[in-house]
Amino acid sequence: MNENKKTYILGVESSCDDTSAAVVGDGGLLLSNVIASQQVHEEYGGVVPELASRAHQQNIVPVVDAAIRRAGISRGDISAIAFTRGPGLIGSLLVGTSFAKGLSLALRAPIVDVNHLHGHVLAHFIKEKESDEVPPFPYLCLLISGGNSQIILVRSYKDMEVLGRTIDDAAGEAFDKCAKVMGLPYPGGPHIDRLAAEGDPKAFHFARPHIRGLDYSFSGLKTSFLYTLRDAVRANPDFIEERRADLAASLQYTIIDILLDKLKRAIDITGVKALAIGGGVAANSGVRDAVEKLCNSRGVRAFIPQRKFTTDNAAMVAVAGYFKYLDGDFCPYDATPYARVNI
Ligand code: KG4
């Protein structure tokens, strides 16, 4: 590494249904972040893996090209290429991994593999301006997405310990599956969020899990929600239509209650002074407010990311890759992507 040369890390993210590329400079300063979301899955009510990898193939070159252009650099300036190696859909990951390797050979720039979950946790280190504040180590990160619900103790950029995780569904799945029962489009989380703003969060009571330790469970809530609707619709076929907002508000309230119950315990056990949230569900208005309030009441600093950095994006991959690059932690060319991996 040339000490005087400026660092530019190109990040490539293709783990699910968003093709994204970003460039970060020294200190994790964000220079560009381009995302092409795939609409093709909407009519299927969920992500279709084969269609996702095909769309990545079509999107990846223009998206990377745009990221480099918007960053105001040229390809030859790139110090390293960071890519998401997993977890995710294997076909989608293969597109990003192969692209990163090819570009790396062409540019003679090393590759850095990034764990997608580390990316979400380290999204708080993306700086849009030099003065942006970042969480102090150690901090707790509540990582809540379509595939994960975890409480992570983050000791450093690379030392992370999962203190609790879901034993069944993720929080995002609970939002999406319950929304589907209500006839809302996929993904249902944002629709529930919008409807909840006009409903009564105490209108309905849904089951809460009794799980020991810091683990989560959301499958009981899903069943309880389903049975409540099934019974009510038998008595009144217009029930869902008439009570949409109250159902959404009560569902959201219950999910937040479950999330915060374990989070409070994690704060007490670890004694951390900072708490961050990440992952798609961290975009939820109710979650953001509740976490902020919890932190204020406990004298803990809350790090609530901008919504654009909660869902899948390459800026978080580039910033996670930046710290590995500084450590000289590069990836060999025979590295293959992994569909499943822990933090
Ligand atoms: O991190 P993410 O983009 O990717 C996956 O894990 O696949 O998270 C997607 C999840 C979906 O379940 C989606 O419904 C949820 O994040 N989500 C939300 C909101 N925005 C996205 N859930 C609740 N409220 C939101 N505003």
Side-chain angles (χ1 to χ4, degrees):
M1 221 183 308
N2 181 341
E3 297 297 325
N4 300 318
K5 210 180 157 207
K6 285 192 172 177
T7 305
Y8 295 107
I9 307 296
L10 171 70
V12 176
E13 156 65 29
S14 71
S15 63
C16 191
D17 60 339
D18 294 304
T19 318
S20 181
V23 177
V24 301
D26 286 294
L29 194 66
L30 186 64
L31 302 175
S32 66
N33 187 31
V34 179
I35 304 177
S37 299
Q38 304 175 3
Q39 313 303 333
V40 64
H41 309 285
E42 263 167 31
E43 62 178 294
Y44 301 97
V47 177
V48 184
E50 178 61 23
L51 295 180
S53 34
R54 286 189 213 176
H56 284 305
Q57 292 260 32
Q58 289 172 338
N59 294 340
I60 200 149
V61 172
V63 164
V64 168
D65 212 44
I68 294 171
R69 228 175 330 106
R70 287 186 204 172
I73 61 166
S74 66
R75 272 178 269 170
D77 295 325
I78 293 170
S79 317
I81 301 151
F83 68 97
T84 303
R85 188 170 171 189
L89 302 172
I90 201 72
S92 294
L93 291 164
L94 272 166
V95 177
T97 305
S98 311
F99 181 87
K101 288 181 190 176
L103 189 63
S104 153
L105 289 168
L107 300 180
R108 296 174 189 276
I111 43 172
V112 178
D113 59 325
V114 171
N115 179 323
H116 182 78
L117 305 176
H118 281 214
H120 275 303
V121 172
L122 298 177
H124 293 272
F125 292 86
I126 301 167
K127 287 189 169 187
E128 290 197 288
K129 49 185 186 321
E130 297 280 357
S131 56
D132 281 351
E133 284 195 77
V134 298
F137 296 121
Y139 69 93
L140 279 180
C141 182
L142 176 68
L143 176 51
I144 35 178
S145 67
N148 290 280
S149 294
Q150 306 187 344
I151 300 177
I152 302 154
L153 177 61
V154 189
R155 297 194 187 90
S156 75
Y157 301 118
K158 50 187 177 185
D159 183 0
M160 304 180 191
E161 185 187 347
V162 178
L163 303 181
R165 57 161 56 91
T166 182
I167 59 165
D168 41 57
D169 289 350
E173 274 176 286
F175 271 109
D176 295 344
K177 287 179 179 170
C178 292
K180 192 171 179 182
V181 175
M182 287 174 67
L184 296 169
Y186 177 86
H191 297 282
I192 297 286
D193 192 354
R194 185 176 38 78
L195 285 167
E198 280 137 40
D200 174 6
K202 302 267 177 74
F204 299 98
H205 185 272
F206 303 117
R208 280 142 170 88
H210 297 283
I211 308 285
R212 290 171 62 156
L214 296 176
D215 283 341
Y216 285 120
S217 166
F218 289 97
S219 65
L221 163 63
K222 192 182 60 186
T223 310
S224 156
F225 188 82
L226 180 70
Y227 287 176
T228 302
L229 265 65
R230 187 195 59 187
D231 296 345
V233 167
R234 264 191 207 138
N236 169 15
D238 297 327
F239 171 76
I240 297 177
E241 197 49 50
E242 288 170 8
R243 305 296 302 274
R244 269 163 112 83
D246 287 343
L247 284 168
S250 303
L251 171 67
Q252 184 168 298
Y253 178 80
T254 312
I255 292 175
I256 294 171
D257 207 31
I258 295 170
L259 289 172
L260 262 66
D261 175 43
K262 297 295 171 89
L263 206 50
K264 283 176 199 159
R265 289 194 223 175
I267 293 174
D268 292 342
I269 292 167
T270 57
V272 293
K273 292 283 163 238
L275 181 119
I277 57 173
V281 181
N284 182 270
S285 322
V287 169
R288 297 166 80 89
D289 288 350
V291 168
E292 189 105 48
K293 280 193 193 118
L294 169 67
C295 288
N296 285 343
S297 71
R298 303 266 167 141
V300 168
R301 283 185 61 195
F303 286 84
I304 313 285
Q306 292 185 55
R307 282 193 166 83
K308 63 182 175 189
F309 297 135
T310 58
T311 46
D312 293 347
N313 65 86
M316 68 184 198
V317 176
V319 91
Y322 169 73
F323 295 115
K324 287 187 87 173
Y325 171 80
L326 292 184
D327 274 351
D329 187 358
F330 302 119
C331 176
Y333 283 111
D334 60 0
T336 49
Y338 28 60
R340 289 175 169 272
V341 65
N342 289 330
I343 208 142

